[in-house]
Amino acid sequence: MAIRSQLLKGVLPACILAVIDSQPVYGYELAQKLEESGLPEISDGTIYPILLRLQKQKLVYSEMRPSESGGPKRKYYFLTAEGKDELWQMRAEWGAIASPVSTMLKEDPSNV
């Protein structure tokens, strides 16, 4: 589990930006979308500090909007132009490292 946590720590901001890029979301909805994508163990205690850091870096901004279910207003997150650029760069970097790492980590030693 600790290895998975360390691996996620590096890519979770990119995953969060990608979710927000597909549509503005509020925090709980973001957690649900990450879970639907196969990342069920991401807690609110992990998500909100990343969102705060992304806001401080001016990669996302937030707006309070009425809840569609009629409840209290929710804070929705949106990508800034800088956030879109950063996400593009993260995607490019991920593409550059994911394939070689996957190849190196295969069990067949002749792949290395």
Side-chain angles (χ1 to χ4, degrees), residues 20 38 44 48 50 61 65 92 95 97 101 110:
I20 297 170
D44 293 348
Y48 286 106
I50 293 172
Y61 69 96
R65 292 195 169 178
I97 65 169
V101 169
S110 66

Side-chain angles (χ1 to χ4, degrees), residues 26-109:
Y26 56 94
Y28 179 73
E29 184 180 25
L30 175 59
Q32 288 178 316
K33 292 194 177 291
L34 290 170
E35 184 173 340
E36 291 167 7
S37 296
L39 301 173
E41 70 279 350
I42 310 302
S43 70
D44 293 348
T46 300
I47 292 172
Y48 286 106
I50 293 172
L51 286 170
L52 182 60
R53 186 170 60 248
L54 294 173
Q55 279 189 290
K56 285 182 180 179
Q57 294 171 336
K58 300 191 183 330
L59 302 178
V60 300
Y61 69 96
S62 62
E63 288 180 7
M64 295 300 288
R65 292 195 169 178
S67 169
E68 292 178 8
S69 62
K73 287 186 174 185
R74 294 180 172 149
K75 186 186 279 192
Y76 281 82
Y77 294 90
F78 303 81
L79 283 190
T80 62
E82 294 89 350
K84 288 184 181 287
D85 290 343
E86 183 72 13
L87 177 58
W88 184 86
Q89 290 176 1
M90 289 175 165
R91 285 177 168 150
E93 289 296 324
W94 178 254
I97 65 169
S99 180
V101 169
S102 292
T103 299
M104 289 175 28
L105 294 181
K106 286 186 179 178
E107 291 185 38
D108 182 1

